[in-house]
Amino acid sequence: QAHDTAVRTMRWSNRGEWLVSGDHGGVIKYWQSNMNNLNEFNGHEEAARDITFSPTDEKFATCSDDIKIKVWDFKTSQCEVIMEGHGWDVKSVSWHPWKSLLVSGSKDSLIKLWDPKSGANISTLHGHK
């Protein structure tokens, strides 16, 4: 049940019902609160670095060293949107607590704001070092 490579990130859903984890190989796993593994799939081509849930827990987003941010439907495990725009490993992603807004941070020293529905880059903050 455990990951085959190093676990790089994990996040509880907002209601605390589910734990989602990501590993060095890009595998994403779903866990119940009793640590029963319910699902796993290949989410990224390289290490998963961060996970964040939408305010409703119906969606979650992941980011990776493959320079992609992905929005997933929790029930189906299907990727709905892929966001690209960073020039280097994406190390963090966070969903706004009540708005449809994602923010990401990368080794390229950029902070980017994204629309999680369309995947559009709304704004980029430069020079964060």
Side-chain angles (χ1 to χ4, degrees):
Q1 282 189 336
H3 285 270
D4 293 330
T5 63
V7 175
R8 297 293 182 193
T9 183
M10 34 187 166
R11 184 82 55 211
W12 286 104
S13 61
N14 294 311
R15 287 187 225 108
E17 297 173 357
W18 309 101
L19 179 72
V20 175
S21 59
D23 71 20
H24 191 74
V27 173
I28 307 295
K29 291 192 174 196
Y30 294 2
W31 307 86
Q32 290 176 309
S33 59
N34 65 2
M35 295 297 107
N36 182 34
N37 180 224
L38 293 180
N39 189 16
E40 73 176 79
F41 56 93
N42 291 320
H44 288 276
E45 297 168 22
E46 294 185 35
R49 293 297 180 172
D50 204 4
I51 298 165
T52 184
F53 275 88
S54 70
T56 63
D57 288 342
E58 292 175 7
K59 315 274 183 208
F60 68 96
T62 58
C63 67
S64 169
D65 288 353
D66 65 10
I67 70 170
K68 295 175 184 166
I69 302 149
K70 296 183 178 183
V71 174
W72 305 89
D73 179 277
F74 183 81
K75 287 183 182 176
T76 66
S77 304
Q78 295 298 307
C79 181
E80 295 185 336
V81 179
I82 298 174
M83 291 160 273
E84 296 182 86
H86 282 289
W88 208 350
D89 306 353
V90 184
K91 298 296 189 183
S92 61
V93 63
S94 184
W95 210 300
H96 191 279
W98 61 85
K99 294 182 181 179
S100 184
L101 182 67
L102 284 171
V103 62
S104 62
S106 168
K107 282 179 73 174
D108 63 8
S109 302
L110 301 177
I111 295 173
K112 290 184 172 281
L113 299 169
W114 305 90
D115 177 341
K117 292 179 183 174
S118 69
N121 179 216
I122 298 167
S123 182
T124 300
L125 306 175
H126 296 270
H128 189 68
K129 295 185 180 191

